[in-house]
Every structure is written in C-alpha cells, then in structure tokens.
Amino acid sequence: MIINHENRLRQAVNLKRSFLINKLSGLNYIRTPDGCLVKDLTLTELEQVYENEKARMKHD
C-alpha cells in the first residue's frame, strides 16, 4: 500500500508540474531570469514563478 500511495503522490506532483509548465509556456515564460528552463524547476519553484507572473501581469 505504501508504494501505491507514493506512486499516486508522484503522479499528482507531475500533473501539477505539467499544468504549471503549460501555463507558463502560454505566457511565453520559458526561462527564469537566471537562465534555468522552466521544465527543470521543482514544483515549489514553479508555483512561486507562476504566482509572481500572475501578480506581475495584474500590474502591467
């Protein structure tokens, strides 16, 4: 049962990462200012970048 739970958690993380990568790609945000590819970021980093971009777009 633990293995199944880990697989579901991994799938959920990957699904959320894909969602955020697609959203950022739609905003033409492919690389971070320091040159890292968005697809190489962790889920936590992606969430922060996405929130920052949403806030920035509200002010533009």
Side-chain angles (χ1 to χ4, degrees):
M1 283 295 209
I2 293 174
I3 293 173
N4 190 27
H5 178 69
E6 290 172 358
N7 285 338
R8 286 193 309 225
L9 180 58
R10 184 174 292 115
Q11 288 174 341
V13 167
N14 287 335
L15 185 63
K16 180 72 176 200
R17 281 186 78 251
S18 294
F19 171 80
L20 291 170
I21 290 167
N22 287 334
K23 285 289 200 178
L24 289 166
S25 292
L27 299 172
N28 293 322
Y29 193 101
I30 307 300
R31 289 186 181 269
T32 63
D34 61 352
C36 293
L37 288 172
V38 168
K39 68 179 184 113
D40 294 334
L41 300 176
T42 66
L43 176 57
T44 303
E45 292 167 332
L46 284 166
E47 289 172 331
Q48 186 63 55
V49 167
Y50 183 64
E51 290 303 316
N52 291 346
E53 283 301 298
K54 282 190 347 185
R56 187 183 64 78
M57 289 179 63
K58 284 183 180 179
H59 291 95
D60 284 350

Short mmCIF file of all heavy atoms in Angstrom, two decimals:
data_model
loop_
_atom_site.label_atom_id
_atom_site.label_comp_id
_atom_site.label_asym_id
_atom_site.label_seq_id
_atom_site.Cartn_x
_atom_site.Cartn_y
_atom_site.Cartn_z
N MET A 1 0.81 -1.21 0.00
CA MET A 1 0.00 0.00 0.00
C MET A 1 0.84 1.26 0.00
O MET A 1 0.47 2.24 -0.61
CB MET A 1 -0.93 0.02 1.22
CG MET A 1 -2.11 -0.88 1.08
SD MET A 1 -3.16 -0.30 -0.21
CE MET A 1 -4.70 -0.86 0.34
N ILE A 2 1.99 1.27 0.68
CA ILE A 2 2.83 2.45 0.71
C ILE A 2 3.33 2.78 -0.68
O ILE A 2 3.35 3.94 -1.08
CB ILE A 2 4.01 2.26 1.70
CG1 ILE A 2 3.47 2.19 3.13
CG2 ILE A 2 5.02 3.38 1.57
CD1 ILE A 2 4.51 1.86 4.17
N ILE A 3 3.71 1.77 -1.45
CA ILE A 3 4.20 2.00 -2.81
C ILE A 3 3.12 2.64 -3.66
O ILE A 3 3.39 3.59 -4.40
CB ILE A 3 4.71 0.69 -3.44
CG1 ILE A 3 5.95 0.21 -2.70
CG2 ILE A 3 5.00 0.88 -4.92
CD1 ILE A 3 6.44 -1.16 -3.12
N ASN A 4 1.90 2.16 -3.55
CA ASN A 4 0.79 2.72 -4.31
C ASN A 4 0.57 4.18 -3.94
O ASN A 4 0.35 5.03 -4.79
CB ASN A 4 -0.48 1.90 -4.08
CG ASN A 4 -1.59 2.31 -5.03
OD1 ASN A 4 -1.34 2.79 -6.12
ND2 ASN A 4 -2.81 2.11 -4.60
N HIS A 5 0.66 4.49 -2.66
CA HIS A 5 0.49 5.86 -2.19
C HIS A 5 1.60 6.76 -2.76
O HIS A 5 1.33 7.87 -3.20
CB HIS A 5 0.50 5.91 -0.66
CG HIS A 5 0.39 7.28 -0.10
ND1 HIS A 5 -0.76 8.03 -0.20
CD2 HIS A 5 1.31 8.07 0.53
CE1 HIS A 5 -0.56 9.22 0.36
NE2 HIS A 5 0.70 9.25 0.81
N GLU A 6 2.82 6.26 -2.77
CA GLU A 6 3.95 7.02 -3.32
C GLU A 6 3.76 7.27 -4.81
O GLU A 6 4.06 8.36 -5.30
CB GLU A 6 5.27 6.30 -3.07
CG GLU A 6 5.69 6.29 -1.61
CD GLU A 6 6.89 5.42 -1.34
OE1 GLU A 6 7.40 4.77 -2.28
OE2 GLU A 6 7.32 5.38 -0.18
N ASN A 7 3.27 6.28 -5.51
CA ASN A 7 3.02 6.45 -6.95
C ASN A 7 1.95 7.51 -7.20
O ASN A 7 2.08 8.31 -8.12
CB ASN A 7 2.61 5.14 -7.59
CG ASN A 7 3.79 4.19 -7.77
OD1 ASN A 7 4.93 4.62 -7.79
ND2 ASN A 7 3.49 2.91 -7.87
N ARG A 8 0.89 7.49 -6.40
CA ARG A 8 -0.17 8.50 -6.57
C ARG A 8 0.35 9.89 -6.26
O ARG A 8 0.02 10.85 -6.94
CB ARG A 8 -1.37 8.16 -5.68
CG ARG A 8 -2.17 6.99 -6.20
CD ARG A 8 -3.49 6.89 -5.50
NE ARG A 8 -3.29 6.94 -4.06
CZ ARG A 8 -3.88 6.15 -3.19
NH1 ARG A 8 -4.72 5.24 -3.60
NH2 ARG A 8 -3.65 6.27 -1.91
N LEU A 9 1.17 9.99 -5.23
CA LEU A 9 1.75 11.28 -4.88
C LEU A 9 2.66 11.77 -6.01
O LEU A 9 2.59 12.93 -6.42
CB LEU A 9 2.53 11.19 -3.58
CG LEU A 9 3.20 12.47 -3.09
CD1 LEU A 9 2.18 13.57 -2.90
CD2 LEU A 9 3.96 12.21 -1.81
N ARG A 10 3.50 10.91 -6.54
CA ARG A 10 4.39 11.27 -7.64
C ARG A 10 3.58 11.70 -8.86
O ARG A 10 3.90 12.68 -9.53
CB ARG A 10 5.29 10.08 -8.00
CG ARG A 10 6.31 10.41 -9.08
CD ARG A 10 7.30 9.28 -9.31
NE ARG A 10 8.15 9.11 -8.15
CZ ARG A 10 8.17 8.01 -7.37
NH1 ARG A 10 7.40 6.98 -7.66
NH2 ARG A 10 8.97 7.93 -6.34
N GLN A 11 2.50 10.98 -9.15
CA GLN A 11 1.65 11.33 -10.28
C GLN A 11 1.00 12.70 -10.07
O GLN A 11 0.92 13.50 -11.01
CB GLN A 11 0.57 10.27 -10.49
CG GLN A 11 1.09 8.98 -11.06
CD GLN A 11 0.02 7.91 -11.11
OE1 GLN A 11 -1.01 7.99 -10.44
NE2 GLN A 11 0.26 6.88 -11.91
N ALA A 12 0.56 12.97 -8.87
CA ALA A 12 -0.07 14.25 -8.57
C ALA A 12 0.93 15.39 -8.73
O ALA A 12 0.61 16.44 -9.29
CB ALA A 12 -0.65 14.25 -7.16
N VAL A 13 2.15 15.19 -8.24
CA VAL A 13 3.19 16.21 -8.38
C VAL A 13 3.50 16.44 -9.85
O VAL A 13 3.58 17.59 -10.31
CB VAL A 13 4.46 15.81 -7.59
CG1 VAL A 13 5.64 16.69 -7.97
CG2 VAL A 13 4.20 15.88 -6.09
N ASN A 14 3.66 15.38 -10.62
CA ASN A 14 3.97 15.52 -12.04
C ASN A 14 2.83 16.19 -12.80
O ASN A 14 3.07 16.99 -13.71
CB ASN A 14 4.30 14.16 -12.65
CG ASN A 14 5.66 13.66 -12.22
OD1 ASN A 14 6.53 14.44 -11.87
ND2 ASN A 14 5.83 12.35 -12.24
N LEU A 15 1.59 15.89 -12.44
CA LEU A 15 0.44 16.52 -13.07
C LEU A 15 0.42 18.02 -12.78
O LEU A 15 0.22 18.84 -13.69
CB LEU A 15 -0.85 15.87 -12.59
CG LEU A 15 -2.13 16.32 -13.25
CD1 LEU A 15 -2.12 15.98 -14.73
CD2 LEU A 15 -3.32 15.65 -12.57
N LYS A 16 0.66 18.39 -11.54
CA LYS A 16 0.69 19.81 -11.17
C LYS A 16 1.85 20.53 -11.85
O LYS A 16 1.71 21.65 -12.33
CB LYS A 16 0.80 19.93 -9.64
CG LYS A 16 0.82 21.34 -9.12
CD LYS A 16 -0.51 22.01 -9.24
CE LYS A 16 -0.42 23.39 -8.59
NZ LYS A 16 -1.69 23.93 -8.25
N ARG A 17 3.02 19.89 -11.92
CA ARG A 17 4.18 20.47 -12.61
C ARG A 17 3.84 20.72 -14.08
O ARG A 17 4.10 21.79 -14.61
CB ARG A 17 5.41 19.56 -12.51
CG ARG A 17 6.13 19.63 -11.20
CD ARG A 17 7.42 18.83 -11.20
NE ARG A 17 8.44 19.63 -11.90
CZ ARG A 17 8.92 19.35 -13.10
NH1 ARG A 17 8.53 18.28 -13.76
NH2 ARG A 17 9.81 20.13 -13.67
N SER A 18 3.25 19.71 -14.73
CA SER A 18 2.87 19.85 -16.15
C SER A 18 1.89 20.99 -16.35
O SER A 18 2.02 21.77 -17.30
CB SER A 18 2.27 18.55 -16.67
OG SER A 18 3.23 17.54 -16.70
N PHE A 19 0.92 21.09 -15.47
CA PHE A 19 -0.07 22.16 -15.54
C PHE A 19 0.62 23.53 -15.48
O PHE A 19 0.35 24.41 -16.30
CB PHE A 19 -1.08 22.02 -14.40
CG PHE A 19 -2.01 23.17 -14.26
CD1 PHE A 19 -3.12 23.29 -15.10
CD2 PHE A 19 -1.79 24.16 -13.32
CE1 PHE A 19 -3.98 24.37 -14.98
CE2 PHE A 19 -2.64 25.24 -13.19
CZ PHE A 19 -3.74 25.35 -14.03
N LEU A 20 1.51 23.71 -14.50
CA LEU A 20 2.19 24.99 -14.33
C LEU A 20 3.14 25.29 -15.48
O LEU A 20 3.23 26.43 -15.95
CB LEU A 20 2.92 25.02 -12.99
CG LEU A 20 2.01 25.05 -11.76
CD1 LEU A 20 2.82 24.83 -10.50
CD2 LEU A 20 1.24 26.36 -11.70
N ILE A 21 3.84 24.28 -15.96
CA ILE A 21 4.73 24.47 -17.11
C ILE A 21 3.93 24.92 -18.33
O ILE A 21 4.33 25.84 -19.05
CB ILE A 21 5.54 23.18 -17.40
CG1 ILE A 21 6.57 22.95 -16.29
CG2 ILE A 21 6.23 23.24 -18.76
CD1 ILE A 21 7.20 21.57 -16.28
N ASN A 22 2.79 24.30 -18.56
CA ASN A 22 1.93 24.69 -19.69
C ASN A 22 1.40 26.11 -19.53
O ASN A 22 1.35 26.88 -20.50
CB ASN A 22 0.79 23.71 -19.86
CG ASN A 22 1.24 22.39 -20.45
OD1 ASN A 22 2.25 22.32 -21.14
ND2 ASN A 22 0.52 21.33 -20.14
N LYS A 23 1.00 26.47 -18.32
CA LYS A 23 0.50 27.82 -18.07
C LYS A 23 1.60 28.85 -18.33
O LYS A 23 1.37 29.86 -18.98
CB LYS A 23 0.00 27.97 -16.63
CG LYS A 23 -1.32 27.33 -16.37
CD LYS A 23 -2.38 28.13 -17.06
CE LYS A 23 -3.72 27.85 -16.48
NZ LYS A 23 -4.77 28.66 -17.10
N LEU A 24 2.80 28.58 -17.82
CA LEU A 24 3.91 29.50 -18.02
C LEU A 24 4.32 29.57 -19.49
O LEU A 24 4.64 30.65 -19.99
CB LEU A 24 5.09 29.10 -17.13
CG LEU A 24 4.87 29.37 -15.64
CD1 LEU A 24 5.92 28.63 -14.81
CD2 LEU A 24 4.89 30.86 -15.35
N SER A 25 4.28 28.45 -20.17
CA SER A 25 4.59 28.44 -21.61
C SER A 25 3.60 29.31 -22.37
O SER A 25 3.98 30.02 -23.30
CB SER A 25 4.57 27.02 -22.16
OG SER A 25 5.63 26.28 -21.64
N GLY A 26 2.35 29.25 -21.95
CA GLY A 26 1.33 30.09 -22.57
C GLY A 26 1.58 31.57 -22.36
O GLY A 26 1.10 32.41 -23.13
N LEU A 27 2.32 31.90 -21.33
CA LEU A 27 2.69 33.29 -21.05
C LEU A 27 4.04 33.64 -21.68
O LEU A 27 4.61 34.69 -21.39
CB LEU A 27 2.76 33.51 -19.54
CG LEU A 27 1.48 33.28 -18.75
CD1 LEU A 27 1.76 33.36 -17.25
CD2 LEU A 27 0.42 34.29 -19.15
N ASN A 28 4.55 32.73 -22.53
CA ASN A 28 5.87 32.88 -23.15
C ASN A 28 6.98 32.96 -22.12
O ASN A 28 7.98 33.64 -22.32
CB ASN A 28 5.92 34.08 -24.09
CG ASN A 28 5.05 33.88 -25.30
OD1 ASN A 28 4.97 32.77 -25.83
ND2 ASN A 28 4.38 34.92 -25.72
N TYR A 29 6.80 32.29 -21.01
CA TYR A 29 7.81 32.25 -19.95
C TYR A 29 8.46 30.87 -20.03
O TYR A 29 7.92 29.89 -19.55
CB TYR A 29 7.15 32.46 -18.58
CG TYR A 29 8.12 32.74 -17.48
CD1 TYR A 29 8.33 34.04 -17.03
CD2 TYR A 29 8.83 31.71 -16.85
CE1 TYR A 29 9.23 34.31 -16.02
CE2 TYR A 29 9.71 31.98 -15.84
CZ TYR A 29 9.91 33.27 -15.42
OH TYR A 29 10.79 33.54 -14.41
N ILE A 30 9.63 30.81 -20.65
CA ILE A 30 10.32 29.55 -20.90
C ILE A 30 11.54 29.40 -20.00
O ILE A 30 11.90 28.30 -19.61
CB ILE A 30 10.75 29.45 -22.38
CG1 ILE A 30 9.57 29.70 -23.31
CG2 ILE A 30 11.41 28.12 -22.68
CD1 ILE A 30 8.42 28.74 -23.15
N ARG A 31 12.17 30.53 -19.70
CA ARG A 31 13.38 30.52 -18.86
C ARG A 31 13.23 31.52 -17.72
O ARG A 31 12.62 32.57 -17.89
CB ARG A 31 14.62 30.90 -19.67
CG ARG A 31 15.05 29.84 -20.64
CD ARG A 31 16.37 30.24 -21.30
NE ARG A 31 16.79 29.24 -22.26
CZ ARG A 31 17.58 28.21 -21.95
NH1 ARG A 31 18.04 28.06 -20.75
NH2 ARG A 31 17.91 27.34 -22.88
N THR A 32 13.85 31.21 -16.60
CA THR A 32 13.89 32.14 -15.49
C THR A 32 14.93 33.22 -15.81
O THR A 32 15.75 33.03 -16.70
CB THR A 32 14.28 31.41 -14.19
OG1 THR A 32 15.60 30.87 -14.33
CG2 THR A 32 13.29 30.31 -13.85
N PRO A 33 14.91 34.32 -15.10
CA PRO A 33 15.90 35.37 -15.36
C PRO A 33 17.36 34.89 -15.24
O PRO A 33 18.23 35.42 -15.91
CB PRO A 33 15.59 36.42 -14.28
CG PRO A 33 14.14 36.24 -14.02
CD PRO A 33 13.91 34.76 -14.14
N ASP A 34 17.60 33.87 -14.44
CA ASP A 34 18.96 33.35 -14.33
C ASP A 34 19.27 32.26 -15.35
O ASP A 34 20.34 31.65 -15.31
CB ASP A 34 19.27 32.88 -12.91
CG ASP A 34 18.38 31.75 -12.45
OD1 ASP A 34 17.42 31.40 -13.16
OD2 ASP A 34 18.66 31.19 -11.38
N GLY A 35 18.36 32.03 -16.30
CA GLY A 35 18.62 31.13 -17.42
C GLY A 35 18.16 29.70 -17.27
O GLY A 35 18.34 28.90 -18.18
N CYS A 36 17.55 29.35 -16.15
CA CYS A 36 17.06 27.98 -15.97
C CYS A 36 15.80 27.75 -16.80
O CYS A 36 14.94 28.62 -16.88
CB CYS A 36 16.73 27.72 -14.51
SG CYS A 36 18.15 27.73 -13.42
N LEU A 37 15.72 26.59 -17.39
CA LEU A 37 14.50 26.22 -18.11
C LEU A 37 13.38 25.96 -17.12
O LEU A 37 13.59 25.33 -16.08
CB LEU A 37 14.72 24.98 -18.96
CG LEU A 37 15.58 25.14 -20.20
CD1 LEU A 37 15.86 23.78 -20.82
CD2 LEU A 37 14.91 26.05 -21.20
N VAL A 38 12.19 26.43 -17.45
CA VAL A 38 11.04 26.24 -16.57
C VAL A 38 10.81 24.75 -16.31
O VAL A 38 10.51 24.35 -15.19
CB VAL A 38 9.79 26.91 -17.19
CG1 VAL A 38 8.53 26.50 -16.48
CG2 VAL A 38 9.96 28.42 -17.17
N LYS A 39 11.00 23.92 -17.33
CA LYS A 39 10.74 22.49 -17.18
C LYS A 39 11.68 21.81 -16.20
O LYS A 39 11.41 20.70 -15.75
CB LYS A 39 10.77 21.78 -18.53
CG LYS A 39 12.14 21.74 -19.15
CD LYS A 39 12.11 21.01 -20.48
CE LYS A 39 13.51 20.91 -21.02
NZ LYS A 39 13.99 19.58 -21.06
N ASP A 40 12.78 22.47 -15.84
CA ASP A 40 13.74 21.90 -14.90
C ASP A 40 13.50 22.32 -13.45
O ASP A 40 14.20 21.88 -12.55
CB ASP A 40 15.17 22.27 -15.30
CG ASP A 40 15.57 21.65 -16.61
OD1 ASP A 40 15.02 20.58 -16.98
OD2 ASP A 40 16.45 22.22 -17.29
N LEU A 41 12.50 23.18 -13.23
CA LEU A 41 12.22 23.67 -11.88
C LEU A 41 11.42 22.66 -11.07
O LEU A 41 10.70 21.83 -11.62
CB LEU A 41 11.44 24.99 -11.95
CG LEU A 41 12.12 26.15 -12.67
CD1 LEU A 41 11.18 27.34 -12.72
CD2 LEU A 41 13.43 26.51 -12.00
N THR A 42 11.55 22.76 -9.76
CA THR A 42 10.77 21.91 -8.87
C THR A 42 9.33 22.43 -8.83
O THR A 42 9.05 23.57 -9.26
CB THR A 42 11.34 21.92 -7.44
OG1 THR A 42 11.18 23.25 -6.90
CG2 THR A 42 12.79 21.50 -7.40
N LEU A 43 8.45 21.65 -8.28
CA LEU A 43 7.05 22.08 -8.14
C LEU A 43 6.97 23.36 -7.32
O LEU A 43 6.28 24.30 -7.69
CB LEU A 43 6.20 20.98 -7.50
CG LEU A 43 4.75 21.33 -7.21
CD1 LEU A 43 4.03 21.78 -8.48
CD2 LEU A 43 4.05 20.17 -6.56
N THR A 44 7.68 23.43 -6.23
CA THR A 44 7.67 24.62 -5.38
C THR A 44 8.16 25.84 -6.14
O THR A 44 7.55 26.91 -6.07
CB THR A 44 8.53 24.39 -4.13
OG1 THR A 44 8.06 23.23 -3.44
CG2 THR A 44 8.49 25.58 -3.20
N GLU A 45 9.22 25.69 -6.91
CA GLU A 45 9.74 26.80 -7.70
C GLU A 45 8.75 27.22 -8.77
O GLU A 45 8.53 28.42 -8.99
CB GLU A 45 11.07 26.41 -8.35
CG GLU A 45 12.20 26.24 -7.35
CD GLU A 45 13.42 25.55 -7.94
OE1 GLU A 45 13.29 24.74 -8.90
OE2 GLU A 45 14.52 25.83 -7.44
N LEU A 46 8.14 26.25 -9.42
CA LEU A 46 7.13 26.55 -10.45
C LEU A 46 5.96 27.32 -9.87
O LEU A 46 5.46 28.27 -10.47
CB LEU A 46 6.64 25.27 -11.12
CG LEU A 46 7.59 24.62 -12.11
CD1 LEU A 46 7.13 23.21 -12.42
CD2 LEU A 46 7.70 25.45 -13.38
N GLU A 47 5.50 26.89 -8.70
CA GLU A 47 4.37 27.57 -8.06
C GLU A 47 4.73 29.03 -7.77
O GLU A 47 3.92 29.93 -8.01
CB GLU A 47 3.98 26.85 -6.78
CG GLU A 47 3.31 25.53 -7.02
CD GLU A 47 3.09 24.71 -5.77
OE1 GLU A 47 3.87 24.83 -4.80
OE2 GLU A 47 2.12 23.93 -5.76
N GLN A 48 5.94 29.27 -7.28
CA GLN A 48 6.36 30.63 -6.97
C GLN A 48 6.48 31.47 -8.22
O GLN A 48 6.01 32.62 -8.26
CB GLN A 48 7.69 30.61 -6.22
CG GLN A 48 8.12 31.98 -5.73
CD GLN A 48 7.14 32.54 -4.72
OE1 GLN A 48 6.86 31.91 -3.72
NE2 GLN A 48 6.62 33.72 -4.99
N VAL A 49 7.09 30.93 -9.26
CA VAL A 49 7.24 31.66 -10.52
C VAL A 49 5.87 32.00 -11.09
O VAL A 49 5.62 33.13 -11.53
CB VAL A 49 8.07 30.85 -11.54
CG1 VAL A 49 7.98 31.44 -12.94
CG2 VAL A 49 9.52 30.76 -11.09
N TYR A 50 4.95 31.05 -11.07
CA TYR A 50 3.62 31.27 -11.62
C TYR A 50 2.88 32.37 -10.84
O TYR A 50 2.27 33.26 -11.44
CB TYR A 50 2.82 29.97 -11.63
CG TYR A 50 1.46 30.12 -12.24
CD1 TYR A 50 1.32 30.44 -13.59
CD2 TYR A 50 0.31 29.95 -11.48
CE1 TYR A 50 0.07 30.60 -14.16
CE2 TYR A 50 -0.94 30.10 -12.04
CZ TYR A 50 -1.06 30.43 -13.38
OH TYR A 50 -2.30 30.58 -13.94
N GLU A 51 2.95 32.31 -9.52
CA GLU A 51 2.30 33.35 -8.71
C GLU A 51 2.92 34.72 -8.98
O GLU A 51 2.20 35.72 -9.08
CB GLU A 51 2.39 33.00 -7.21
CG GLU A 51 1.52 31.83 -6.82
CD GLU A 51 0.05 32.03 -7.17
OE1 GLU A 51 -0.49 33.13 -6.93
OE2 GLU A 51 -0.57 31.08 -7.67
N ASN A 52 4.24 34.76 -9.11
CA ASN A 52 4.92 36.03 -9.42
C ASN A 52 4.49 36.57 -10.77
O ASN A 52 4.25 37.78 -10.92
CB ASN A 52 6.44 35.85 -9.39
CG ASN A 52 6.97 35.61 -8.01
OD1 ASN A 52 6.30 35.81 -7.01
ND2 ASN A 52 8.21 35.14 -7.94
N GLU A 53 4.38 35.70 -11.76
CA GLU A 53 3.97 36.13 -13.10
C GLU A 53 2.52 36.61 -13.11
O GLU A 53 2.19 37.59 -13.77
CB GLU A 53 4.17 35.02 -14.12
CG GLU A 53 5.61 34.85 -14.54
CD GLU A 53 6.20 36.11 -15.14
OE1 GLU A 53 5.70 36.57 -16.19
OE2 GLU A 53 7.13 36.66 -14.54
N LYS A 54 1.65 35.92 -12.39
CA LYS A 54 0.25 36.38 -12.30
C LYS A 54 0.17 37.76 -11.68
O LYS A 54 -0.55 38.63 -12.17
CB LYS A 54 -0.58 35.38 -11.50
CG LYS A 54 -0.98 34.17 -12.26
CD LYS A 54 -1.99 33.28 -11.58
CE LYS A 54 -2.29 33.49 -10.15
NZ LYS A 54 -3.20 32.50 -9.55
N ALA A 55 0.93 37.98 -10.60
CA ALA A 55 0.93 39.27 -9.94
C ALA A 55 1.51 40.34 -10.85
O ALA A 55 0.98 41.47 -10.91
CB ALA A 55 1.73 39.19 -8.64
N ARG A 56 2.56 40.01 -11.56
CA ARG A 56 3.18 40.98 -12.48
C ARG A 56 2.21 41.37 -13.59
O ARG A 56 2.11 42.54 -13.96
CB ARG A 56 4.46 40.40 -13.09
CG ARG A 56 5.25 41.39 -13.92
CD ARG A 56 6.45 40.76 -14.58
NE ARG A 56 6.10 39.74 -15.55
CZ ARG A 56 5.66 39.98 -16.77
NH1 ARG A 56 5.48 41.22 -17.20
NH2 ARG A 56 5.36 38.99 -17.60
N MET A 57 1.47 40.40 -14.11
CA MET A 57 0.53 40.68 -15.20
C MET A 57 -0.61 41.58 -14.73
O MET A 57 -1.13 42.36 -15.51
CB MET A 57 -0.01 39.37 -15.78
CG MET A 57 1.06 38.62 -16.55
SD MET A 57 0.45 37.07 -17.22
CE MET A 57 -0.80 37.66 -18.33
N LYS A 58 -1.01 41.47 -13.47
CA LYS A 58 -2.06 42.33 -12.94
C LYS A 58 -1.62 43.80 -12.90
O LYS A 58 -2.43 44.69 -13.01
CB LYS A 58 -2.47 41.89 -11.54
CG LYS A 58 -3.33 40.67 -11.52
CD LYS A 58 -3.76 40.33 -10.11
CE LYS A 58 -4.63 39.09 -10.09
NZ LYS A 58 -5.04 38.74 -8.73
N HIS A 59 -0.33 44.00 -12.72
CA HIS A 59 0.20 45.36 -12.60
C HIS A 59 0.63 45.95 -13.93
O HIS A 59 0.97 47.11 -14.01
CB HIS A 59 1.37 45.39 -11.60
CG HIS A 59 0.93 45.15 -10.20
ND1 HIS A 59 0.95 43.91 -9.62
CD2 HIS A 59 0.41 45.99 -9.28
CE1 HIS A 59 0.48 44.01 -8.39
NE2 HIS A 59 0.15 45.25 -8.17
N ASP A 60 0.65 45.15 -14.98
CA ASP A 60 1.05 45.66 -16.31
C ASP A 60 -0.13 46.27 -17.05
O ASP A 60 -1.23 46.10 -16.83
CB ASP A 60 1.65 44.55 -17.17
CG ASP A 60 3.07 44.22 -16.74
OD1 ASP A 60 3.63 44.97 -15.92
OD2 ASP A 60 3.59 43.21 -17.25
#
